[in-house]
Amino acid sequence: MVKIEAYRSDAENQWCPGCPNFGILAALKNALVNLGKKPEEVCLVSGIGQAAKMPHYLKCNFFNGLHGRTLPVAVAINVVNPELITIVVTGDGDCYGEGGNHFLHNIRRNPNITLIVHNNQIYGLTKGQASPTTEAEDKTRLQFEGVELEPLQPLAIALLHGCSFVARGYAGDFKHLSNLLVEAISFKGFSYVDVIQPCISWGTHSVSWYREKIYKLPQEYNPRDKEEALKKSAEWGDRIPIGIIYRDDKPHRLFGDYFRKNIFDGKLTELGCPPQRLIAEMIERYR
Amino acid sequence: MIDISTIVSGAAGQGIHTIGYMLAKTASEAGYHVFSWQEYESRIRGGSNSYRIRISDKPVNAPLGKADIFMSLDRESKAKHLPLLKTDGILVDEEERGERVITVPFSAIAQRDFGNKLFANTVAVGALTAVLGIELASLKKVISHEFAGKGGEIVSKNLSAAAEGYKLAKRDCEGRCPWTLTKREQRYYLISGNEALALGASAAGCRFMVAYPMTPSTGIITFLSKHKDELKIFTEQAEDEIAAVNMAIGASYAGARAMTASSGGGFALMVEGISLAGMTETPLVIILAQRPAPATGLPTRTEQGDLLFAINAGHGEFPKIVFAPSDPKDAFHKIVRAFNLADKYQTPAIIMTDQFLADSYFTVENFELDKMVSKSCLVNPDKIQNYKRFQLNDTGISPRLFPGQSQHLVCCDSDEHDEYGHITEDLELRKRMVEKRLKKYELLRKEMRPPEEYHISDAGAIFVSWGSSRNAVLEVVDVLRENGAKVGAIHFTELWPLPEYEFPPEKNYYTVESNATGQLGKLLRSDYGVKVKGTINRYDGLPLDQEYIRERFENG
C-alpha cells in the first residue's frame, strides 16, 4: 500500500502562506494514494505560474516546462509511455491564455491524461494582471479601469469540442476535490478539472465571495446530459456548481489508437532501433 | 564524356513533375548518374515552373543553368525558359517546326489515340527518352513500376502512349540528336534530401516525429507517416510549431528518440523550445529546411539565409549542435550522428537543409550502411543509488534515465535547478549549473569534424562553402582547374560548435553562399580569424551552380 508520506517533497514551498493551492496539493496527493499509485508511476507536467510549481511539492516524476506549453509535453509523454499516470497541473493564465491553442487542440486529440487547472481568475506570479477568466469590469493592477474583455468559458469550450470528462472543483473542499481527482485520473480519455482557487494576494474576489456561491451538484444531477452540462458550465454568478459536470463513459477514440492497434502497443522506449536490414530494404527501393 | 541537361517547363498542375521524375528514373534505370531539381512558384495551378534533369556518366549531383534539351507544356513557360536552351540545343515542341526542333504533338496524340489528354505527359516522356537516345525498355520498366498500383489497363495504355511518343521523336531525331545513352550495368540510388533524412532518422531509432506542415520540410513527416507501419514510428501533425517542438521534447524526456522539422518561420516559433531542451538537457533533433526569408519570403525556393540564426537560436547560453549536410547520402549519415550526439550530450541538434537539398533528386552510388552506428546513451538505473538527473561532474554530462524506467524519479525544470531538478535560487549553484552545461560545449567541439578539403595544397584561391552547395563548388573547382586556374575548396558540414581547424595561411579565401550577407564569412572572421578576400553570394531563390560561381569569380 502506498502511504501519503511517499509523496512528501523536501523542496521549499514558495507559495504564499495560506494559499488555497495547498488544498489542491493535499487533495492530489490523497487521490494518488487512494488510487494506489507509487510516485514513480506518476508524471506531473507543468508550465509557468504559481500552480506550475506544484510538481516541486509532490514527490514524483515531473517536467516543469515553458509557459503555456504543458499539454504538448504531456501528450507526448503519454504516447511514449502510456503506463505513466500523466497529469498536467497548470493555471488559468498558463492553460487558457498562453497555452490556449494547445488547450483547444488537445481536447480534440483526446489523450489519456488528466488536466487540472488552478483557476484563480488572475495572474498571481506576475502580481495581479487580468487572466482569461477574470470577469469583465473587474479592476486589476494592470487593467486599472476594469477588464474590457469578456471572460473565457473554458468548460463550455471543452464540452463543445467533445471532452468526455469535464468537472469543476474547489480548492477549499478537500474531500470533494480529492474524490473528483480520483474520478478524473481513473477516467479513460482526456479528463479535465477546473479548480476554483481564490487568490489571497491578488484576486478580484475574496475567499468568502466564492464560498458563499459554491454548491455541490446534487445527487439527482445527470452528468450524461450534455445540454444540461452546457447550462451548468455557464452557471457563474449567484451560484457556482462544483462536481462532475459531464462524463461520457462510452469508449471513445483515444489519441494514438491507430498506432497502438496497428503498429505497436507498448512503450516506445522498448522499440530501440529498427533492424538495419529494414532500412537497407527501404533504401533499395530507390535503386 | 556524357553530360546532358534537360529542362521541362510548364504551369503548376500540368504535370511537369511527373514528366521530370519519370525521365530522371528512366535515365537512372539506364545506368546513368542523374541529378534533378525543381524551381516552382507557391501556387497549385498556373504560373511557370521548371524541372531540370542532368544526366551524366560520372557523378555530378549539381545543377546547371543552361540546357541541351528543352520542352515546355505551355506558351508562357516556353517564353520564360527558352532563353536557357543552348544555341546548339534541341527544342521538343508540340507545334513548332525547325532545324533544331523535334515536333511531337503529345496532347493531340493523347486525345486522338488514347481518348484522354492525361496521357500527354507519358507521350512527352516517351519523346524525351528518344531524344536522349535511351532505349525504350528502360522507360517501359519505369512506367510498369510507377503505375503498378493503378491497374493493368492504365499501365498498358501508358506503355502504348510512351511508345508512340518515342516512335515519333525517334523518326524526327534522325541526324539531329547527337546523344546515345546505351544501357549500362551500373545501378544507382536516386533519392531526395527529405527522403534520405526521413530514412536516416528512422535508422537512428527515431520513434516520434511531430511537425506542422511548412514548405520545404513537409516531405519528411509525409514520408514517415506513409511508412509508419513498417518503420514503427509515431507521427503527428501539431497545431503549431510551438506544440511540435514541445511535443518532441516531451517524447524525448519520456525516453524516445524524437524530432521535428520546419522551415525558417516555423523554426522561429520553436526557438523558445530549443532553449528549453538546452536547460532541461533533453536530446532533440530539429530539421530546418531553409527557404528565402524574411517572413514568408519565397516559400518554394531556396536560400541559406538562416545559418547565424540557427547557431544563435535560443535565449541564454547552452551547447547546441548545428549540421548542414551536402547531399542525401551525407544527410542520411548526419542525422544519425545528430541523434547520437544529441543523446550523448543531452542537448538540441539542428540539421540545416534548404529547398534545393530537400526537393532535389541526387544519385547515390552507395549508402555505406555498414558505417552507420546508432547508439543510445541512457544509463542503467540498477547501478544508481541516489539518482540526480543533473549531477555535477567532470564532463557536465549527467546520467539520463526516463520516467517510469525504474524507481528513480526523473525531474526536469525550465527554471534553474539543483542536481535533482528542483527549482533553485541558490546563486552559487546557478553558476555551477551554467558551467556544467558549457563544459559539454567544450567536449562537443572536439567531436566536430573538420571541413572537407578539395585541391587546396597548390591553390591560390580557395572557395569556402557550407551545406548543400558542395557539389556545385567542387564542380567549379574542376572546371576552373581544367582551364588552368589554381583553385581549391574548403567545405563545412559541421558548423556548430565550429570544429578545430587551421586554415592554411597565404591563401585568398572566397566564401560561396546562398545568402546576401555572407554569414559563413562572418563566422570565419570571428571564430578562426580568417580574412575573406571576396564573397560570392546568390539570393535570387535559385540554387548555386558552377556557371554562376565561375561568372562571379572571374568577373568579380
Side-chain angles (χ1 to χ4, degrees), chain A residues 56 61-62 64-65 69 72 76 101-102 109 255 258 269 271-274 276 278 282 284-287, chain B residues 187 189-190 195 202 207 223 229-230 236-237 239-240 242 247 253 374 409-414 422-423:
Chain A
H56 296 282
N61 297 292
F62 70 79
N64 179 178
R69 315 304 166 200
N101 203 28
H102 313 308
R109 278 196 182 99
F255 183 55
Y258 176 84
T269 47
L271 282 169
C273 278
Q276 209 174 86
L278 171 65
M282 290 194 71
E284 217 45 48
R285 293 177 203 165
Y286 289 88
R287 185 130 83 159
Chain B
R187 293 299 307 279
Y189 303 95
L190 188 63
E195 288 162 341
S202 199
R207 296 295 183 187
F223 178 95
D229 290 57
E230 49 188 335
E236 174 65 358
Q237 178 179 328
E239 56 270 28
D240 54 38
I242 299 175
M247 285 173 85
Y253 161 75
S374 177
L409 301 179
V410 186
C411 305
C412 289
D413 194 356
S414 65
H422 280 291
I423 184 168

Side-chain angles (χ1 to χ4, degrees), chain B residues 304 306-312 322-324 352 441 445 464-466 492-499 501 503 511 513 515 517-532 535:
Chain B
Q304 296 180 302
D306 298 335
L307 176 60
L308 295 177
F309 176 41
I311 283 172
N312 293 298
V322 179
F323 288 158
M352 299 184 77
Y441 171 86
R445 185 176 166 113
V464 192
S465 54
W466 63 281
F492 284 83
T493 53
E494 307 211 342
L495 288 146
W496 200 260
L498 275 170
Y501 181 66
F503 273 82
T511 52
E513 301 183 63
N515 59 47
T517 56
Q519 299 189 20
L520 177 66
K522 287 180 185 164
L523 276 183
L524 299 185
R525 274 191 291 276
S526 65
D527 278 64
Y528 295 112
V530 172
K531 240 183 104 190
V532 174
T535 57

